[in-house]
Amino acid sequence: MITKSIENQASAMNRQEISFIIPALNEEAHIGGVLDSIRKNVQGHLNYEVLVVDNGSRDRTVDIALEKGATCLHAPGCTISFLRNLGASEARYEILVFLDADVYLTKEWGERIVEGMEKLHDYPHIITGSFCGISDENNWIERVWFAPRTQRSEEINYMNSGHLVVHRSLFMRVGGFDPEMETGEDYEFCYRARMLGAQIENDPGLKVVHAGYPKSIKHFFCRERWHARGDYKSLSALASSKPALVSLANLCMAVISIAGMILCSYPWFTFPCAYLLFIAGVSVAATLHRCRGKLDSRVWGVIFLYVVYFTARTVSLIDVAIKR
């Protein structure tokens, strides 16, 4: 009876343990605040560890992380997928929380996580987390593009690895993130997980704040240009991504328009007008799908951002083609 009681106590202790895995590169502006947010909202009611996996920072990222009590691993020059996998391989606990180095936990997160951990222990085939909320110092891009996603609670196709929570058993069964992927590793990981029967659930109660959302059109363009690279890793990846297929069509339309202006006898403005109608039509359709027909004052901003979004991803396709 005593042995069984000890085993039950040990099992209960295991269900209250959690590992945070944070890849980082030159994140001295945020890493201290992120680690403080973890301590503030977790310490005292959970056993936890924080593993900061550094990608070769040249600032004080590692020094700050060590000062805040984190364990630091070093893997300079590696993909972010490799960093996440390395952190998971060194983590001691069964519940893994993947965080970006500029994603802050909130009071609501601390109040919700125990229930979420219980669910993962009972149903380890679930991948959860939440779409990152916007900071108090937000701008119109964040309010129009990123904020509306945070309230979606239905089952979804993937969870962003900037805030992804998973049981170690499922992570290992899936095989971790693809270490060859420069970006888009979260979508590909969740795709393989779904093929094994996993469910992806956004939990708005696990509220986090992303301080690194783009504050300008230039930043937004660069972000999407970089994020799109994962969609062009292979033909199968391209074929399975709707944004990638739209970007390919956009590139074809742009090439046809330029060729038409040079080679055909039609008035020169016919072809650029046709292209503009195409990109505008695609952006309007994407906006209607995103807003589910519920249009308000934000719609024009969303349409404009979709034009930037598809343009950036088309440029990313050209980048990959030239590189290869």
Side-chain angles (χ1 to χ4, degrees):
M1 290 293 291
I2 295 176
T3 301
K4 187 173 182 179
S5 176
I6 294 174
E7 290 177 351
N8 290 338
Q9 290 178 7
S11 177
M13 288 275 296
N14 290 339
R15 296 172 77 92
Q16 301 295 312
E17 296 173 336
I18 192 167
S19 295
F20 294 89
I21 299 163
I22 306 176
L25 176 63
N26 298 326
E27 291 286 354
E28 68 176 6
H30 294 290
I31 191 66
V34 170
L35 297 180
D36 285 342
S37 76
I38 294 174
R39 176 187 52 77
K40 179 179 178 181
N41 294 292
V42 174
Q43 193 173 60
H45 59 276
L46 289 176
N47 295 323
Y48 76 99
E49 63 174 353
V50 180
L51 297 98
V52 173
V53 191
D54 183 66
N55 199 22
S57 297
R58 296 184 178 182
D59 61 6
R60 295 191 64 249
T61 295
V62 173
D63 294 336
I64 294 172
L66 291 172
E67 290 169 5
K68 298 289 184 179
T71 298
C72 289
L73 307 173
H74 303 277
C78 298
T79 65
I80 196 168
S81 302
F82 183 92
L83 302 180
R84 298 189 203 280
N85 289 344
L86 177 59
S89 71
E90 296 294 326
R92 292 180 293 166
Y93 303 138
E94 295 303 300
I95 302 299
L96 307 177
V97 180
F98 293 95
L99 275 184
D100 278 352
D102 55 0
V103 172
Y104 294 72
L105 304 190
T106 67
K107 178 182 177 182
E108 292 85 350
W109 195 96
E111 294 171 347
R112 176 69 170 172
I113 189 58
V114 174
E115 181 180 344
M117 291 170 63
E118 288 290 333
K119 186 174 183 179
L120 287 182
H121 281 298
D122 293 336
Y123 305 98
H125 63 283
I126 293 174
I127 296 173
T128 188
S130 68
F131 294 114
C132 300
I134 62 177
S135 65
D136 292 336
E137 296 77 29
N138 59 71
N139 70 349
W140 73 271
I141 296 175
E142 295 171 277
R143 292 191 295 271
V144 165
W145 188 265
F146 298 104
R149 305 174 64 203
T150 60
Q151 298 305 313
R152 293 174 56 187
S153 58
E154 74 274 13
E155 187 174 336
I156 53 179
N157 287 333
Y158 86 105
M159 181 56 60
N160 189 292
S161 53
H163 177 222
L164 184 151
V165 188
V166 62
H167 196 282
R168 178 194 296 277
S169 62
L170 177 58
F171 185 82
M172 299 301 293
R173 191 156 64 95
V174 175
F177 297 103
D178 183 345
E180 300 299 320
M181 295 194 72
E182 184 179 0
T183 183
E185 78 287 347
D186 41 16
Y187 185 90
E188 194 273 342
F189 170 80
C190 290
Y191 172 80
R192 284 187 283 119
R194 294 201 316 273
M195 294 301 100
L196 295 176
Q199 295 179 355
I200 320 296
E201 296 182 0
N202 178 50
D203 184 352
L206 291 172
K207 184 179 177 181
V208 296
V209 172
H210 184 203
Y213 279 141
K215 306 289 186 182
S216 67
I217 295 300
K218 179 182 178 181
H219 188 186
F220 181 81
F221 179 93
C222 292
R223 178 183 189 272
E224 296 306 328
R225 183 179 181 180
W226 182 79
H227 273 294
R229 294 180 185 178
D231 288 345
Y232 308 129
K233 179 186 177 184
S234 63
L235 288 177
S236 60
L238 189 153
S240 64
S241 169
K242 292 179 181 178
L245 292 174
V246 173
S247 299
L248 178 60
N250 187 42
L251 177 60
C252 292
M253 283 295 296
V255 171
I256 291 171
S257 296
I258 294 171
M261 290 173 61
I262 297 172
L263 301 175
C264 295
S265 59
Y266 291 104
W268 68 269
F269 55 82
T270 301
F271 294 97
C273 285
Y275 172 76
L276 291 175
L277 285 174
F278 169 80
I279 190 65
V282 167
S283 299
V284 169
T287 299
L288 292 174
H289 176 73
R290 183 188 186 94
C291 298
R292 303 181 183 183
K294 299 177 181 178
L295 305 181
D296 54 29
S297 59
R298 300 173 302 176
V299 65
W300 296 110
V302 178
I303 292 173
F304 173 73
L305 288 175
Y306 262 119
V307 173
V308 178
Y309 173 89
F310 287 123
T311 302
R313 287 175 172 258
T314 302
V315 172
S316 180
L317 176 57
I318 297 172
D319 292 339
V320 173
I322 292 174
K323 184 177 180 180
R324 292 183 177 176

